[in-house]
Amino acid sequence: MAKKSVATLQTGSKRLTKAIKMVKSDKTGAYTFKEAVMPPEMVSDWLNKK
């Protein structure tokens, strides 16, 4: 994993965070981006899991 990016979004009364993770493919060696929108408390868990 090469880069991590986190942006904070506010929609109505809920506070959400969009996290982007760059993941290297085992087959080809190419990098792909995984994106997810979640509560701020869950971001570090999501970034640390494979």
Side-chain angles (χ1 to χ4, degrees):
M1 186 168 29
K3 279 195 172 186
K4 298 176 191 175
S5 176
V6 176
T8 303
L9 308 172
Q10 286 186 323
T11 56
S13 63
K14 291 189 177 184
R15 199 164 161 244
L16 300 173
T17 301
K18 180 178 183 179
I20 304 169
K21 179 169 42 172
M22 197 161 99
V23 181
K24 187 173 183 177
S25 171
D26 293 331
K27 273 184 161 179
T28 63
Y31 285 95
T32 58
F33 293 94
K34 305 280 184 184
E35 296 183 18
V37 176
M38 65 196 79
E41 304 83 39
M42 297 175 61
V43 172
S44 60
D45 293 336
W46 184 78
L47 288 172
N48 290 331
K49 75 174 187 178
K50 277 200 164 190

